[in-house]
Structures are given as C-alpha cells and as structure tokens.
Amino acid sequence: MALNKLRQLDSDSAGLALPKDDLRLEGLLDDDGQIDGDHYLHIRHLENGKWSVELVEEIEP
C-alpha cells in the first residue's frame, strides 16, 4: 500500500498528492506529464478516516 503525506496548503486547507500514474490512466495528463486542462474533483467525507474522491465531468453554471 502506497502512503501519501497530508500537506498544509494554507490556513484553511490541506492537500494530498494523487499519483501521476493514476492521473495518466484517467487521461488527465498531457504527453509531458502535466495536467491537461481544468479538472475538478468532488471529495466526500464518508466516515471516520475514510473519504471518496470522484472526478466531476461537468460543472453546472
């Protein structure tokens, strides 16, 4: 099991890195391994110690 470190981003949020191999499988990276376009993820807290992360295909205006 790979472990990822939770990081402080600013005073209001923290971040977690997603592995590039996983992002590549989803088609979110260009040929240079950079994020290709704008993408949004919905993060839900499920229960103590568990979250889900889901790619949002369309954002309603």
Side-chain angles (χ1 to χ4, degrees), residues 1-3 6-7 11 17-18 23-24 27-28 31-33 40 43-45 48-49 52 55 61:
M1 171 194 330
L3 298 177
L6 187 64
R7 301 168 194 211
S11 62
L18 298 172
L23 297 174
R24 192 171 285 109
L28 302 177
D31 292 337
D32 296 323
Y40 296 90
I43 301 168
R44 287 185 203 111
H45 182 252
N48 195 16
S52 72
L55 181 62

Side-chain angles (χ1 to χ4, degrees), residues 2 4 9 12 24 27-29 34 37 42 47-48 53 61:
N4 299 62
L9 297 177
D12 296 322
R24 192 171 285 109
L28 302 177
L29 301 181
Q34 300 299 310
H42 184 230
E47 61 182 76
N48 195 16
V53 178

